Amino acid sequence: MRLLSVLAVAKTASLARAATTYDYIVVGSGPGGSPLASNLARAGYSTLLIEAGGDEADNPTYRQMGNFIEACNDEASRWDFWVKHNDDEKVDALYKHTTWDTGDGTFYVGLDPPPGAKYLGIQYPRAAVLGGCAMHNAGVSSLAQDDDWNIVANLTGDLSWEAPKMRKYLKAIEKNEYRPAGDPDHGYNGWLSIITDDPSWAKATNTTGVRILNKFAEFLGQKASDEVTLLSQNDILSASPDKDYTSSLYNMALHANSKGERSTPGDYVRATLSDPAKYPLTLKLRTLVTKVLFNESSTTPRAIGVEIMEGASLYKADPKYIPGTKGPVSQVFASKEVIISGGTFNTPQILKLSGVGPKAELEKFGIKVVKDLPGVGERMGDNYEASIRGVTTEPIPAGLTTSIFRTPNAPTKKRNIYAWCGPFSFEGFWPGFPDNRPNQWECALVQIGPKSQAGTVRLRSADPQDTPDINFRFFKEHGDQDISELVAATNIMRETWKAAGAPALPIQELHPCPGELGKAPCTDAMQKEYTQLQAYSHHATSSCAIGADSDPLAVLDSKFRVRGVSGLRVVDASAFPVVPGAFPVVPTMMLSQKASEVIIADAKGA
């Protein structure tokens, strides 16, 4: 079934256009690239969409949202990036999920590797598949804070980025399935289905899960009697002007349909390919882009196409990669523009391999400099994530308790934590994650508005099959403040646990304060040390950011154009100047919709 699906897509694509020159080439089919390529083709422009992975549309591991853990671990799409959290490898080695290659085809995860094991680092899986990481994530749909959009307007003077004007892009892509029809804040005819969790569990009064929920509502200043109403009617994707300042319980939104099936940008691509209108979209799967091609005959170099290597599992992040494997190399051309949507790790790598990036770094690897652009691969950011986890005496019957709130020590009046609690385990990524235990209970925390953006994506070599050197440099800037906010949120979560009562109590906390809840030693100092070493992340952004004309590290202008060259844009999460809210997947799709509008308008005005 899956093979037939891939062949059908390939056949449709080849019928759409067989030439080697297109109006547009889009590199990468994730939340940035897939919507953009589809929109360009629907506007009548011949468009080639290139994806290094395959298509898993008919694979239930990916289609059913509830299987996201299996999807994230699946070698059919998984690319393993082994990243650093710090400059000091000895500090990173204290991260409890540090991974080592044992040399016998297995991994060791932990703090005491066997003799001879090769240090790999911290696993950061990405998805090489049509639809990108929207195909293996948990589907959490969240919006950027207003100031995350306004910063672009403030930096560039482009007022089209002002937050109230960005809402139309959500409405354009959204097929809302949880709000009453006609809600002016939402869209109902887009390609992205969005649902919310079933909150009916909260109706079971005086259960351990509801008692925890009651305590949480108390902390938020909300009435416990209003819980079911809050969970069922409080819109987590609200357009309210005070939403960024409102601490509340919510019902988690997911990019899935009412059947629990994942909704992704890849669906939009397949719909575009199969549409009777025969839009001029070509999809090229299992194809690795090795560099952008430039015409340098004029003062400003112009992107004219890309070099590609065809074949499956050609990138060394792919666990199925066989050393020495290469594929046939060829070139394809774009008469209008090349758009890179490879994601926060691969987009800066592709630009650098193409000669666009910091001059000294390019010359180090013998790469001809097309444009010295110092900011490529710099100032990467991410949401810090942490959790408090324990084991209860008896299972706690509950669904997810989701909230967005402000800790008392937040530096502004805006909320700074997105949290969800329930009988699950999530503590970051490592081969084979998670570590499930009977009667587990956890609150996972995502920090909104991290203060540090000191991460980098730099080349290891000039080999396009090699992975880049990725270092997040956690907590390098204003680290004490960020760590303190996470600890404050953890303390709040712990207090809600104490309200569970019998038969859940006593709870054995596993981390950050091991031992019986309320009796084990647990100071803020202990928790800060634990958080600094064990925080994790998986929402990388900003490695090729939009910025001001006066900023030497700005990579893009407000129209996504790469500075200093022509015919080349970047449309993906790497373009955000700051991390957008708590989960960047939907903001990236909104960004892609805006880019579509901008690029089509430029084409019509040319």
Side-chain angles (χ1 to χ4, degrees):
M1 182 68 177
R2 288 169 54 198
L3 178 59
L4 289 175
S5 172
V6 171
L7 291 175
V9 170
K11 182 179 179 181
T12 304
S14 63
L15 288 174
R17 189 168 179 88
T20 57
T21 299
Y22 304 83
D23 291 330
Y24 293 96
I25 295 174
V26 179
V27 180
S29 74
S34 277
L36 174 60
S38 299
N39 288 335
L40 291 173
R42 287 170 180 263
Y45 298 103
S46 62
T47 304
L48 173 63
L49 175 61
I50 303 175
E51 168 57 49
D55 183 4
E56 298 293 333
D58 297 325
N59 183 341
T61 297
Y62 296 84
R63 178 52 58 195
Q64 293 299 316
M65 184 61 78
N67 296 333
F68 70 89
I69 290 176
E70 291 84 353
C72 204
N73 276 295
D74 190 6
E75 289 191 359
S77 69
R78 197 184 80 227
W79 274 5
D80 289 331
F81 291 92
W82 302 104
V83 308
K84 304 169 187 173
H85 285 172
N86 300 275
D87 286 317
D88 189 341
E89 188 174 296
K90 292 181 180 179
V91 174
D92 267 359
L94 297 176
Y95 179 68
K96 64 182 178 180
H97 296 133
T98 296
T99 303
W100 309 72
D101 183 350
T102 62
D104 62 3
T106 64
F107 296 110
Y108 171 83
V109 179
L111 305 177
D112 188 22
K118 177 185 176 183
Y119 173 81
L120 293 174
I122 298 163
Q123 188 191 38
Y124 202 118
R126 303 282 82 186
V129 65
L130 180 63
C133 289
M135 283 292 288
H136 80 174
N137 66 2
V140 182
S141 297
S142 179
L143 298 181
Q145 293 189 335
D146 285 351
D147 284 347
D148 299 337
W149 298 123
N150 291 335
I151 190 174
V152 182
N154 294 334
L155 288 172
T156 66
D158 184 344
L159 301 185
S160 70
W161 283 89
E162 290 178 329
K165 299 172 184 175
M166 293 300 296
R167 186 78 185 189
K168 67 178 181 179
Y169 301 115
L170 173 66
K171 294 172 68 173
I173 67 175
E174 185 184 21
K175 183 180 180 181
N176 188 283
E177 297 189 23
Y178 71 91
R179 297 293 290 176
D183 184 332
D185 291 348
H186 291 280
Y188 295 86
N189 300 305
W191 50 265
L192 186 73
S193 293
I194 298 183
I195 61 170
T196 52
D197 278 335
D198 180 3
S200 59
W201 64 272
K203 296 178 181 180
T205 58
N206 203 33
T207 62
T208 50
V210 171
R211 289 197 290 269
I212 292 174
L213 188 62
N214 289 344
K215 188 67 175 179
F216 210 167
E218 178 185 318
F219 163 74
L220 297 170
Q222 297 174 314
K223 294 180 180 179
S225 59
D226 293 340
E227 288 163 353
V228 177
T229 300
L230 288 167
L231 294 180
S232 61
Q233 297 183 18
N234 204 13
D235 185 7
I236 198 167
L237 302 183
S238 168
S240 168
D242 63 349
K243 62 181 175 59
D244 295 338
Y245 301 86
T246 302
S247 294
S248 180
L249 295 172
Y250 291 96
N251 202 355
M252 182 180 284
L254 305 171
H255 57 84
N257 63 27
S258 57
K259 298 178 182 179
E261 297 171 334
R262 185 183 292 274
S263 178
T264 79
D267 298 330
Y268 190 32
V269 170
R270 284 183 286 271
T272 304
L273 288 169
S274 62
D275 196 291
K278 296 183 179 180
Y279 296 117
L281 175 64
T282 299
L283 171 63
K284 202 169 186 61
L285 298 171
R286 300 181 180 87
T287 301
L288 183 70
V289 170
T290 59
K291 64 180 178 180
V292 178
L293 304 172
F294 288 93
N295 180 342
E296 297 184 70
S297 60
S298 60
T299 304
T300 302
R302 179 172 184 82
I304 58 172
V306 295
E307 181 182 270
I308 58 175
M309 184 184 296
E310 297 182 71
S313 303
L314 293 175
Y315 194 57
K316 293 180 183 178
D318 192 321
K320 303 182 299 303
Y321 169 78
I322 299 173
T325 301
K326 295 186 179 296
V329 176
S330 60
Q331 297 177 337
V332 287
F333 298 93
S335 61
K336 291 187 177 295
E337 293 185 4
V338 175
I339 301 141
I340 307 300
S341 301
T344 300
F345 297 160
N346 289 107
T347 287
Q349 181 183 22
I350 291 170
L351 290 179
K352 290 179 180 183
L353 291 171
S354 309
V356 178
K359 179 180 179 181
E361 182 180 353
L362 304 185
E363 290 179 339
K364 174 183 176 181
F365 296 108
I367 299 170
K368 179 186 175 184
V369 178
V370 173
K371 174 60 182 177
D372 179 15
L373 205 56
V376 175
E378 301 296 307
R379 296 200 294 210
M380 181 174 63
D382 208 334
N383 298 111
Y384 295 122
E385 299 181 56
S387 61
I388 172 172
R389 186 179 178 209
V391 175
T392 63
T393 303
E394 295 288 340
I396 295 178
L400 289 181
T401 298
T402 302
S403 63
I404 310 178
F405 63 92
R406 178 187 180 275
T407 60
N409 63 343
T412 72
K413 296 298 183 182
K414 293 189 296 185
R415 55 194 188 179
N416 59 328
I417 298 291
Y418 186 119
W420 64 104
C421 304
F424 64 87
S425 172
F426 182 68
E427 303 173 272
F429 295 98
W430 64 91
F433 84 99
D435 169 28
N436 284 316
R437 302 192 187 190
N439 301 344
Q440 61 194 9
W441 186 261
E442 180 173 315
C443 291
L445 309 169
V446 174
Q447 186 177 29
I448 302 169
K451 318 304 178 297
S452 182
Q453 287 191 216
T456 55
V457 180
R458 294 173 179 166
L459 296 177
R460 290 186 206 275
S461 72
D463 180 359
Q465 294 178 267
D466 208 352
T467 58
D469 182 4
I470 301 164
N471 190 337
F472 284 92
R473 294 184 178 82
F474 272 15
F475 306 115
K476 185 175 179 63
E477 299 167 354
H478 310 289
D480 288 344
Q481 175 64 37
D482 281 334
I483 292 170
S484 294
E485 291 175 36
L486 289 168
V487 170
T490 302
N491 288 335
I492 291 167
M493 299 297 102
R494 187 179 291 107
E495 288 303 310
T496 68
W497 289 16
K498 293 176 181 178
L505 295 179
I507 296 177
Q508 295 296 319
E509 185 174 326
L510 300 177
H511 65 71
C513 295
E516 185 174 332
L517 184 71
K519 295 184 179 180
C522 192
T523 65
D524 280 0
M526 291 170 55
Q527 294 183 86
K528 286 180 180 179
E529 180 180 6
Y530 180 90
T531 300
Q532 184 167 12
L533 293 175
Q534 306 304 332
Y536 48 91
S537 67
H538 65 296
H539 303 154
T541 69
S542 311
S543 57
C544 294
I546 297 169
D549 293 343
S550 59
D551 182 358
L553 295 183
V555 176
L556 311 176
D557 67 10
S558 69
K559 291 189 173 184
F560 306 93
R561 297 176 295 202
V562 178
R563 294 176 179 274
V565 299
S566 64
L568 182 63
R569 305 196 204 216
V570 168
V571 179
D572 59 26
S574 71
F576 288 107
V578 295
V579 183
F583 294 84
V585 61
V586 172
T588 301
M589 297 177 199
M590 294 169 63
L591 178 143
S592 181
Q593 188 69 20
K594 178 174 176 57
S596 302
E597 181 180 274
V598 168
I599 294 170
I600 291 169
D602 283 355
K604 289 180 177 179

